[in-house]
Each structure stands twice: as structure tokens, then as C-alpha cells.
Amino acid sequence: MSLLRSLAGRRVFFSHCRRSLSLNTRPKREVKLGQPTFETRPHYIPLAGNLTPGISALEYFERRLKLASRLPDKSVLIIVGNTVKFSSGSVFYDFQQENDFYYLTGWLEPDSIMVLEKKGDHGRDEDVALHLLVPPKDPQRERWEGAKSGLEGAYDFFNADYVEDVANASSYISKLISSNEHVFYDNKSGDSPSSNPGSSSSSSSSSFFGFGKKRETLNDAIMNAGKPVNPVKKEVAKLRSVKSPAEIEVMYAAGQISSRAINKAMGQVASETPFQTEKTLAKYLEYQFVKGGCDKQAYIPVVASGSNALTIHYTRNDDLLYKDETVFIDAGGKLGGYCADISRTWPNSRKGFSEPQRDLYQAVLNTNKACIDLCDESLKMSLHDIHEFSVNTLLKELRNITGFGNTTYNDVKVLYPHYIGHHLGLDLHDVPSISRFDKLKEGNVITIEPGLYIPEDRPWPKSFQGIGVRVEDDIVVGKTKDEMINLSAGCVKEVTGIESLIRNGVSTPGIDDELVTLDI
Ligand code: GLY
Ligand code: MN
Ligand code: MN
């Protein structure tokens, strides 16, 4: 874990990155693939050997071996990738790969299936085979949709041992099942395109390969093959819940880019062009995440002026930002599939926080910091233990605030209606099958996000009503406290830091540059 240590002390990120200084000259490239690779987009994946940002082909291979080592001999583990989803007619959503599939292969094209086969010949590496079933290359289709990797790309670049046209999935996988004994597969029969809200049954899957329609046939073939079917998600979650040094480095980048974007937003309050609406602030954050080097925003953010923050999942983001109210944001960028998840609250006022805003903010911040101190494997705490601690800490903090002296434990449950946090990774609420009661382990990445939301009602003190505060950071659990890493440490959260940012704006050199070449 020396990497954790070296990251913990790291102050400057992307010191070697190339930033945009002049227009780029297009190099000649022979290879055409359906997703960015070192060969096709070296500014995005600058290291030969990496398949996706920061993650090497070797690491993907080792993840598969590790998963296979948990399976009995003669197993096949099948993961069906996602299809493109459509919002209406031919208008599609951004493609989101099934994250277990992505975690094990790095493959980012829709309508694909992976099968991990463990033949079980004395546990030798070569007895673990990756089968990728993908859409074949098709010049007609590529004319409209752009390059696809095809079977050749799956073999040459993604290290599949066997490749097959996904149109033959049912017969191909049936044969694999019959030559093995154990099947690992998550029954998706209730998850067919027609039952998926927001998609129309005629258009929710790849139109060229009819994969959506064949999926049910495949599901039936697997479920009726006469072999016991075991779940997949829980097995993969055990691996995904402990991040590798490479994953932590990618998440560190996502956290730092997101932190800078949020600092920049705070720094505009007293500028000549303060944000006027929740919507423009939301879109500014998204743009800054991408300009800083992320691929996209990790989720629809919460951007709430004043009492709008009392709605925990306020995502309308359609109000004005009102003077002297708090600005409450919960937002983060996503890089190489990995999410950042940060909440901050600041005053929309040149004068800084009002007294009630500051009191409440300080109570939440103190709780956030005390909980972060517990993200240490040696303390043998679970996420639930930290949650209980956060409730008790908020109780103590509130009782020190004038007007809240008689606050009870049950009151805190009203003012703090959510949980302290969740695992974070490829999914925003990562690996939900991992119990909140499990002891935290080195390499877990969790959010710490206490909050207080004072209803606009009696008996709560009038001057506090309608204030909502959350302070959320992304923490890598360390073996000891010294080895813990706060991935969002760059995002200002002390009262003095926030008020100074508001007064002086952001002045970090290079903060406005566009990040062109990633250095992970
Ligand atoms: N952004 C959602 C959450 O904090 O869980
Ligand atoms: Mn959040
Ligand atoms: Mn969160």
C-alpha cells in the first residue's frame, strides 16, 4: 500500500499533463475501434498497456483471475451487457455499460456478453478463459454510428480468449454450459426491454442485431439448462468493494477535478458575474468537471438555493439563487467510469455566512471531520457504526447551538433523515450487496455525508428554519488513520476557507486551463 501513502502526501495533481496551448494536428492512425484506447485516443489513455483511463489490461486480467479463484472448477459466469436505452423515438440516452461487465473487461460497447469459464485444470491461469460475444463489424452500420471494435477488436485489444457473434449467444452459451457444471448468472427475466421504464419495446435495444429480443431466449436457455444457477453480483461486489491502487488513483483524479470545479463555483459569489440560477450553476459544474478532465458528471446534481435543500433529492434545479441564502450542491464528475460524490454548502452573500447558517454549518462540518477520522481499518468499525456515531455527534453539536439545547436523539432523526454514506466506485451507490454492518477494510472507498435540514415549522428556532446543510467527502479507508485518503480534500470546507474564496475568488495558477492529456 505504498501507493496509498504516496497519494496521501500528494499536493499537485496533473503536474505533467499537457494543457491546451495551441490547436492540435491530427495524426494518421490505422486502428479504428468502438471506444477510446491508447491506439485511437492517446491523449485520453496515454499509457500503452492501459485499456481504460488508469487501468491496465493486466489489471482487468487479474480481476478475472481473482474472480475465477472464488468459483468452483467447471464454472461458467455469464454477464449480459447493457443495451442502448431510448428516451423517446430515436433519441437515445448516453450509453451506460453494465458495471460488473465493465469492471471485468473494460469493454464499453452495447449489446455484448461476457462469459468467464473456469475449466478447472489445477487452477492454472490458462484454464480461465474469457469469451466475448459482441456485434460483428458492419460497414453499413458503422457508416451511421462510427467505428465498432467487432470480434477482431475484442480479441486483439481486450484479450478475449474466444470471440463470437452475439447473435449466436443462445447456442454458444448453451454449449458452454453443457460442458461445465456450475452456472453463475443473474436472472434478468424481469428486466426485459419492454419492462424497462423510459424505453419503448420496439426501440430500446440494438435495432441491427435484435439483441433485446434474443435476450429472453438466452435467459430461458440459461435458466432451463438443468444446472443450478448461482448469483453473480454478490461475488463481483466482494472484489469491487476493495479498490486497487490504480482505481484509487483514478478516483483521486475524479475527486480532485470535481473539487476544483466546486471551488471555482464558490469563488464566483462576489464576482461581477455571480450565478443567478440553480440551472446555470448546475451546468457550470458539469462543464468544469469535463474541462478539468472528467468524462461527464457522475449523476444529476442537486443545486438548491436556501430551503430547496430540504428536499434531499432536489434535482429540479430550476429556481433562482437568492441573495443571502445558502447555496447547497451535491455534484461530482466521473472519470473512466469512476464517480466523485461531493456536497458543499456556502453562503450566497459577499458578507459570508449569517450566524444561524454558520452555527449549523459548523455543527455538520465538525461531524463530517469526526466521522472521517473513523475511516481507519484498525478501529474495526462498520459504516453503520459510523452512522450511529454521526447521529450522536450531531446531537451533541446541536445542543451547543442556542435554541437547540433540548434537542433529543429522535429530533436528530428528523433533522438528519439520511444515512452517513455509502460505498463509491463505478456506481455512485457502489456494491449495495456489501452489508453496512461489515467492518470497513483498507481500500474501501466510502462517502461521509452528514447533514442537517431544519423544517420550516415549529418547534424549530425561526432563524434556522429552511436552512439545509450537507458536507460530503469521498474517503479511502486506510489500514491506519495516517493511510486514509480524502479524495475530495481539495474542495474547500472550513468556514474561513469558504469565506475567503467568496471574497477573493480562486487564484490557483492554471485553474482555468482545459485538461487535454490525462496523466493516469
Ligand atoms: N449524490 C447522492 C448521494 O450523495 O448519495
Ligand atoms: Mn452526494
Ligand atoms: Mn453520496
Side-chain angles (χ1 to χ4, degrees), residues 79 98-105 114 232-233 236-237 240:
I79 301 179
E98 206 285 332
N99 269 333
D100 286 342
F101 190 164
Y102 179 67
Y103 177 79
L104 292 166
T105 62
M114 67 159 282
V232 172
K233 281 231 159 283
V236 185
R240 279 178 54 184

Side-chain angles (χ1 to χ4, degrees), residues 299 330 341-343 420-422 424 428-429 447-449 470 472 474:
Y299 52 94
D330 180 346
D341 181 9
I342 304 175
S343 300
I420 187 62
H422 49 85
L424 183 71
L428 179 67
H429 290 183
T447 64
I448 291 292
E449 48 181 305
R470 179 157 71 244
E472 176 176 24
D474 303 341

Side-chain angles (χ1 to χ4, degrees), residues 87-144:
S87 61
S88 176
S90 59
V91 178
F92 48 83
Y93 291 108
D94 220 7
F95 176 66
Q96 167 63 55
Q97 184 56 287
E98 206 285 332
N99 269 333
D100 286 342
F101 190 164
Y102 179 67
Y103 177 79
L104 292 166
T105 62
W107 181 262
L108 273 175
E109 288 180 53
D111 302 340
S112 306
I113 301 174
M114 67 159 282
V115 182
L116 191 65
E117 182 183 20
K118 181 180 182 181
K119 295 174 196 163
D121 186 7
H122 318 300
R124 294 201 324 251
D125 292 356
E126 58 269 33
D127 288 315
V128 177
L130 172 66
H131 302 252
L132 277 180
L133 292 80
V134 305
K137 285 179 89 59
D138 175 336
Q140 262 313 96
R141 187 183 184 201
E142 291 182 41
R143 179 95 205 271
W144 291 94

